[in-house]
Amino acid sequence: HQKIVEWIEDAHFMEVFLLGEEFAKTTAPESWKFKDMESLKQALRVNLDERPVLLLVKGSRGMRMERVLEIFG
């Protein structure tokens, strides 16, 4: 997870949202980290506006990351 954070930092993404205990242990900025799916979905609702967006959702099956797509109706 730390290596992923380092790659993300080098890539200079405009927005980053990380979920889970393993990302919580990394050196990622606290503003990128979310403890639960509901707080992540709320942050996405606030931060994703009408501009075109590419959203990469990556996670293990156990994390059930597909739930994040619920914000799009």
Side-chain angles (χ1 to χ4, degrees):
H1 287 79
Q2 181 60 43
K3 287 193 182 286
I4 293 169
V5 167
E6 292 166 9
W7 181 83
I8 290 169
E9 290 172 334
D10 290 342
H12 303 287
F13 288 102
M14 293 176 64
E15 302 282 349
V16 177
F17 305 88
L18 304 172
L19 177 67
E21 294 176 17
E22 294 304 316
F23 280 118
K25 299 174 189 175
T26 68
T27 61
E30 291 301 313
S31 61
W32 291 7
K33 301 176 188 180
F34 297 88
K35 294 181 185 205
D36 58 65
M37 181 59 71
E38 289 308 312
S39 61
L40 172 62
K41 290 192 315 191
Q42 180 60 30
L44 287 170
R45 284 185 195 101
V46 169
N47 288 286
L48 299 180
D49 53 24
E50 296 300 317
R51 64 191 158 156
V53 171
L54 171 64
L55 179 64
L56 171 63
V57 178
K58 168 67 178 97
S60 67
R61 290 298 307 138
M63 292 293 290
R64 297 180 47 222
M65 293 301 295
E66 67 276 4
R67 296 177 294 162
V68 78
L69 300 176
E70 294 169 358
I71 68 166
F72 297 107

